Amino acid sequence: MILLSVVAAIAGLFGFPGAGGDLQTGSLNARAITIVESSHRIEFPDRIVFTLEADAPPDVQSARLYYTVGPHDVKVYTYPVRFTNSENIEAEFIVNTGKDGFIPQGVEIEYYYVFTDSLGNLTVSDSRTFEYLDPRYDWRRLSMDDFTIIWHNRPERVVRRTAADVSIRMRAVRELFGLEGNYDFKAVIINSRAEADRSFPPVSDTSQDTFLYGGFAFNRYDVLVVAGLNRDSLIHELTHLMFDERLDSPRAKPPAWLNEGIAMYFEPGGGYRQSDVQRAFRSGNLIPLRHMRSVPGRPDDVRLFYSQSASVVRFMMDEFGPERMDTLLTEINEGRKIDEALIATYGVGVDELDRGWRRYLAGETSIFQIRDPGALGTSAIIGAALLVTTSAVLIRWLKNLRKSSQPTDDEEEL
């Protein structure tokens, strides 16, 4: 049984250390508990087994394992599947890492133990940290500017060449997103279909059977896992992680087509998907942009979804430039829905953008005459003033014309 702990409540009640700390804390007895042995065994991809042996007073009645996964502070705890305390404590804990509790490779796991005696006193052990990787391989690593590649059974020179190319191309992503911080994402490279089956998260049996996805980015852990040393896949998933850094507000709800489209926009070899879009356009099978807030389920729909997303974002970049895209992301980050954000940035909503993109596919002239939406009010005022002025001049001219056409007194007498 695994329960999510309420971190603030536990920390406030018991004074648990976040990392490290003395063996004793809270309302403890002075009687020491000595860790004789603490170890973990990764049974990839299903579980991690923690084994504990400690010298402790006989009234210590229970032990719990607390752990955190990745850079977040959310602590999870589990009770032992085996616990005895006769002459010393012996305990075993299991953390499931497969379908029911998937954990991606490359994350760091920090853990410690909490002991409780018969009077309710607590003792907290020091913490330990390890990296979650398939132990059957000899993993190597290479650090670049924004990421570290973790790989096995590949020549280092090949990995280094690909990593250098990716690192250079990621500068354009940084520039678009306006990111200036220091990042150290982890990119885990796996080598085979069998490894992918063990390493990728459970999506569906169909996607797994068809090998639909070549990689995944895990934003909450700053980790990505890709099948093969593929430049495009690395750039794609790293862009997802950068995208998450750019939209750092909990109010930001970007549609999936924008997220995937931007990631594919930066793939050097991503242009081949445009032919898929053109075929779907000619056959009338394009997905309405309004229906692309999330990735569909069927493999054929997924492929078209990715191709359309790439095409729409490329159209937006070509038509309006990267500055507008940065403004759009700012609008989304401030909590605006995609329709509102598009109107504020481009002056058009989702449906108008969709129609303009389809005209673009047909080779027709763009329907967009984009101006700065912030200047629309000023333009309207100026236009109204010109209209009033023109109307006044016209009325005055008509009056003068009418007056000049009327006969004078002398003319009437004639």
Side-chain angles (χ1 to χ4, degrees):
M1 177 181 181
I2 300 178
L3 300 175
L4 283 175
S5 63
V6 181
V7 180
I10 290 178
L13 183 60
F14 300 129
F16 287 177
D22 297 329
L23 192 61
Q24 298 183 10
T25 187
S27 56
L28 263 355
N29 289 336
R31 293 177 296 175
I33 297 177
T34 303
I35 303 295
V36 177
E37 181 181 356
S38 175
S39 62
H40 69 275
R41 183 175 72 254
I42 299 175
E43 297 181 356
F44 189 84
D46 300 315
R47 62 182 187 169
I48 306 171
V49 179
F50 296 83
T51 303
L52 170 68
E53 182 180 350
D55 288 335
D59 64 340
V60 173
Q61 296 181 333
S62 68
R64 284 175 291 179
L65 170 72
Y66 281 79
Y67 63 96
T68 59
V69 181
H72 297 276
D73 293 330
V74 176
K75 294 179 174 62
V76 182
Y77 68 85
T78 182
Y79 292 98
V81 296
R82 177 175 60 84
F83 177 85
T84 60
N85 184 14
S86 51
E87 296 181 357
N88 61 357
I89 290 176
E90 292 184 357
E92 184 176 273
F93 303 81
I94 292 177
V95 173
N96 293 317
T97 57
K99 290 184 178 181
D100 295 333
F102 177 80
I103 296 177
Q105 290 202 79
V107 300
E108 289 190 350
I109 298 176
E110 181 182 11
Y111 70 97
Y112 58 86
Y113 300 101
V114 177
F115 304 91
T116 306
D117 66 16
S118 58
L119 298 177
N121 297 315
L122 303 175
T123 302
V124 181
S125 75
D126 290 336
S127 64
R128 303 186 180 199
T129 302
F130 65 93
E131 192 172 42
Y132 180 65
L133 290 167
D134 189 341
R136 74 193 74 192
Y137 302 113
D138 181 18
W139 295 93
R140 304 177 64 187
R141 63 191 62 232
L142 174 66
S143 295
M144 306 303 293
D145 287 342
D146 294 321
F147 60 93
T148 297
I149 285 190
I150 303 173
W151 87 97
H152 67 87
N153 297 101
R154 289 180 181 272
E156 181 177 346
R157 68 180 185 280
V158 177
V159 176
R160 188 175 294 276
R161 183 169 61 246
T162 301
D165 188 13
V166 171
S167 182
I168 291 172
R169 293 177 184 275
M170 288 306 297
R171 295 172 188 171
V173 181
R174 266 183 173 270
E175 183 177 353
L176 174 67
F177 293 156
L179 297 176
E180 298 179 353
N182 296 319
Y183 303 98
D184 188 20
F185 303 122
K186 289 185 179 180
V188 180
I189 310 299
I190 56 179
N191 297 343
S192 68
R193 174 73 176 272
E195 275 192 79
D197 290 342
R198 294 192 299 268
S199 302
F200 285 172
V203 179
S204 70
D205 293 338
T206 302
S207 64
Q208 190 169 2
D209 293 341
T210 58
F211 203 46
L212 185 60
Y213 297 102
F216 289 88
F218 304 95
N219 296 331
R220 66 176 297 189
Y221 303 122
D222 291 342
V223 166
L224 65 92
V225 180
V226 297
L229 187 62
N230 184 286
R231 177 190 60 180
D232 283 1
S233 295
L234 281 168
I235 292 172
H236 184 106
E237 304 304 341
L238 282 168
T239 301
H240 278 317
L241 297 182
M242 290 284 191
F243 185 87
D244 190 63
E245 293 292 333
R246 176 64 175 84
L247 298 184
D248 57 357
S249 168
R251 299 191 299 160
K253 306 295 180 185
W257 65 261
L258 182 63
N259 192 345
E260 295 297 344
I262 290 178
M264 297 182 69
Y265 174 79
F266 286 103
E267 292 183 26
Y272 73 93
R273 294 179 181 267
Q274 188 67 12
S275 59
D276 297 336
V277 174
Q278 287 291 349
R279 281 194 297 271
F281 173 69
R282 289 192 295 269
S283 61
N285 292 326
L286 289 175
I287 307 170
L289 191 59
R290 186 168 291 280
H291 298 166
M292 293 174 60
R293 288 196 59 84
S294 59
V295 180
R298 296 192 309 171
D300 289 344
D301 293 339
V302 171
R303 294 186 180 95
L304 180 57
F305 175 93
Y306 274 75
S307 298
Q308 279 193 219
S309 299
S311 181
V312 170
V313 168
R314 185 166 297 280
F315 164 69
M316 295 169 71
M317 290 289 202
D318 291 346
E319 191 76 8
F320 313 129
E323 296 80 10
R324 297 276 182 174
M325 183 62 71
D326 180 64
T327 302
L328 176 64
L329 296 177
T330 298
E331 295 288 335
I332 293 174
N333 203 45
E334 291 176 354
R336 290 182 176 84
K337 296 179 180 179
I338 184 60
D339 252 319
E340 299 170 346
L342 283 170
I343 291 171
T345 305
Y346 301 110
V348 298
V350 172
D351 296 329
E352 291 92 343
L353 176 63
D354 196 356
R355 286 193 292 270
W357 167 65
R358 289 168 191 253
R359 289 176 64 94
Y360 163 79
L361 294 178
E364 300 176 10
T365 303
S366 172
I367 64 173
F368 299 125
Q369 298 295 328
I370 299 300
R371 295 174 295 178
D372 184 355
L376 291 178
T378 302
S379 300
I381 293 171
I382 294 173
L386 289 173
L387 179 61
V388 170
T389 302
T390 303
S391 299
V393 171
L394 179 61
I395 291 171
R396 192 162 52 247
W397 179 78
L398 289 172
K399 287 182 177 180
N400 292 335
L401 179 63
R402 181 179 178 183
K403 183 177 180 181
S404 64
S405 65
Q406 291 177 351
T408 63
D409 293 342
D410 293 340
E411 291 173 331
E412 287 179 346
E413 291 176 358
L414 292 174

